[in-house]
Amino acid sequence: MYLYSPDKIDQERAHHQAVIQGSEDIDVKRIGNLGELAFEQFCREYLPVEMWEWKNEEAIRRCNPESFSGYDFEVFGYEIDVKTSRDVSAFRPANILKNDPDDDIIVMVWHRDKEDALILLGWERTETLKSKVKTQEEYSGEEPEKLAHLSARPMNELHDLGPNTAHLNQKPENPFAPGDRVVKTDDNNTSVAVVVEVLPPEKNKTAFGQTMDGEAVNVAFPEMLDDGPSDWRKISPAKLASYCDDQDIKLYTYKHTNLEQAKEPFALGDYVIKPDYDDPDLAVVVNIDKDEDRDIAVAFLHHLEETVSDDFYRVPNELQAYCDDHDISAYSYESSALELKPQY
């Protein structure tokens, strides 16, 4: 068996992709997505990366509808479908074959009620399941106990279907996650960027098709995100890739070793607080002047909201002018005194 615990990014992506897919049962589709994520992590740890393919990888990463495919993975040339359920009886041979008789292999994934942990119970060839169903149908009388359970092979036997290989752990070494604010390493004048996608290690190609020596990260710059139709700061980092894809916002690809976490991660329009206050008011960055000691100017959100009847939002590069026109006070602070306060 193999245990997988999805993080918040994976949980939100699994859910949002189910919504975008237009599924009749969003809960079932979300859980199915989590099962695929669990099996992908198993493959990454135990199987040679060049010998398996996840058909829905980009669709789930970008929360886009899946292109039609009769199965979820191809492993060593076998068509594999992942079945996820809280009810173990769903993995009885007849129940599986009722919905998926044509795939080569079925992988069975059980999940907790909270969907915070999934266990890969095992896998089985479809032909073996058909044989078991036939045996059950032909047997008259009370079914023996040995036929009542689902025969499933242990997960670690899946690699026996392929060539003889050593144990391979191909999990990403990338330290970044969507939403992180990053800058280019050893570049004092670089602009702050937002991590949108952390690409799988095997997808480390630049826009020009050249193989990158290291894992790739796709970033967007705040001023480009600001050109979109929404306040992207209120969008979960898990959905940023979907948002950028929908709005054709340009992404830039970097090798992850060429990036580092930004020590001063602020951009115009960011929501910030002064964390050393007991109950800090939420503020919005209206100006950045790196030549000044008190380099960040903010306006408090409750002052901005007093000028409008609905939720306040203005294009960030218009904030300073808006404050001037409406006599809204701005207050200056050192970057080190402020902290980002996400609003998603």
Side-chain angles (χ1 to χ4, degrees), residues 265-282:
F266 306 106
L268 294 178
D270 283 344
Y271 297 96
V272 297
I273 59 171
K274 199 166 184 295
D276 57 351
Y277 291 169
D278 290 336
D279 186 18
D281 290 328
L282 189 63

Side-chain angles (χ1 to χ4, degrees), residues 279-298:
D279 186 18
D281 290 328
L282 189 63
V284 180
V285 176
V286 299
N287 191 40
I288 298 176
D289 188 347
K290 294 185 177 180
D291 294 328
E292 297 291 333
D293 289 336
R294 297 168 70 87
D295 55 335
I296 305 292
V298 305

Side-chain angles (χ1 to χ4, degrees), residues 13-164:
R13 280 180 172 167
H15 180 79
H16 192 57
Q17 194 281 329
V19 173
I20 297 299
Q21 185 80 26
S23 174
E24 294 180 358
D25 193 327
I26 291 175
D27 290 344
V28 168
K29 179 58 180 166
R30 177 185 65 252
I31 292 166
N33 287 344
L34 289 173
E36 291 186 41
L37 284 162
F39 185 63
E40 186 257 356
Q41 289 298 300
F42 169 82
C43 290
R44 195 166 294 289
E45 265 197 80
Y46 291 97
L47 306 178
V49 71
E50 66 275 7
M51 295 186 178
W52 58 269
E53 179 186 2
W54 184 16
K55 297 296 183 180
N56 300 322
E57 185 271 326
E58 185 169 307
I60 291 181
R61 172 160 50 86
R62 295 191 168 185
C63 301
N64 288 336
E66 298 170 12
S67 57
F68 177 77
S69 178
Y71 52 95
D72 301 321
F73 288 80
E74 185 171 313
V75 178
F76 302 131
Y78 294 94
E79 297 176 359
I80 293 185
D81 210 39
V82 179
K83 292 301 170 192
T84 311
S85 178
R86 179 70 175 86
D87 182 4
V88 179
S89 69
F91 303 137
R92 298 289 298 276
N95 294 338
I96 292 177
L97 294 176
K98 182 178 180 181
N99 297 315
D100 289 279
D102 299 325
D103 299 309
D104 295 326
I105 291 171
I106 303 295
V107 170
M108 290 152 269
V109 184
W110 176 87
H111 71 88
R112 281 167 44 98
D113 285 338
K114 294 182 179 180
E115 301 171 25
D116 58 348
L118 297 93
I119 295 177
L120 276 64
L121 298 177
W123 62 276
E124 192 55 273
R125 294 175 184 266
T126 306
E127 290 303 316
T128 300
L129 297 176
K130 290 178 180 177
S131 175
K132 181 171 172 60
V133 169
K134 183 178 179 181
T135 302
Q136 289 173 317
E137 290 174 346
E138 292 178 351
Y139 185 84
S140 62
E142 186 177 350
E143 186 179 64
E145 215 175 286
K146 65 182 180 181
L147 291 180
H149 69 283
L150 171 64
S151 57
R153 302 185 64 169
M155 290 306 302
N156 61 2
E157 290 185 6
L158 191 61
H159 62 71
D160 292 339
L161 294 176
N164 224 345

Side-chain angles (χ1 to χ4, degrees), residues 291-315:
D291 294 328
E292 297 291 333
D293 289 336
R294 297 168 70 87
D295 55 335
I296 305 292
V298 305
F300 289 101
L301 187 59
H302 62 87
H303 291 161
L304 294 167
E305 289 178 336
E306 289 171 0
T307 66
V308 296
S309 58
D310 53 4
D311 290 340
F312 178 86
Y313 178 72
R314 291 293 182 277
V315 176

Side-chain angles (χ1 to χ4, degrees), residues 109-268:
V109 184
W110 176 87
H111 71 88
R112 281 167 44 98
D113 285 338
K114 294 182 179 180
E115 301 171 25
D116 58 348
L118 297 93
I119 295 177
L120 276 64
L121 298 177
W123 62 276
E124 192 55 273
R125 294 175 184 266
T126 306
E127 290 303 316
T128 300
L129 297 176
K130 290 178 180 177
S131 175
K132 181 171 172 60
V133 169
K134 183 178 179 181
T135 302
Q136 289 173 317
E137 290 174 346
E138 292 178 351
Y139 185 84
S140 62
E142 186 177 350
E143 186 179 64
E145 215 175 286
K146 65 182 180 181
L147 291 180
H149 69 283
L150 171 64
S151 57
R153 302 185 64 169
M155 290 306 302
N156 61 2
E157 290 185 6
L158 191 61
H159 62 71
D160 292 339
L161 294 176
N164 224 345
T165 57
H167 174 83
L168 298 173
N169 188 339
Q170 299 157 108
K171 284 193 172 183
E173 298 177 356
N174 206 312
F176 303 112
D180 285 352
R181 299 289 178 95
V182 295
V183 294
K184 286 186 68 175
T185 305
D186 300 327
D187 188 344
N188 294 329
N189 297 316
T190 188
S191 299
V192 172
V194 182
V195 174
V196 173
E197 292 181 305
V198 176
L199 300 182
E202 65 273 14
K203 296 185 181 295
N204 58 345
K205 294 185 181 296
T206 68
F208 304 102
Q210 301 298 314
T211 300
M212 184 180 293
D213 183 20
E215 295 172 14
V217 173
N218 280 342
V219 306
F221 291 94
E223 58 270 23
M224 295 181 175
L225 290 165
D226 291 337
D227 290 337
S230 302
D231 184 358
W232 60 271
R233 293 168 179 82
K234 293 185 177 181
I235 298 174
S236 164
K239 303 175 186 177
L240 279 177
S242 178
Y243 178 73
C244 291
D245 192 46
D246 291 345
Q247 304 303 324
D248 293 323
I249 294 172
K250 183 174 177 59
L251 302 180
Y252 294 84
T253 303
Y254 290 90
K255 186 165 69 170
H256 81 282
T257 52
N258 290 341
L259 297 173
E260 62 183 25
Q261 298 283 356
K263 295 178 182 177
E264 298 179 356
F266 306 106
L268 294 178

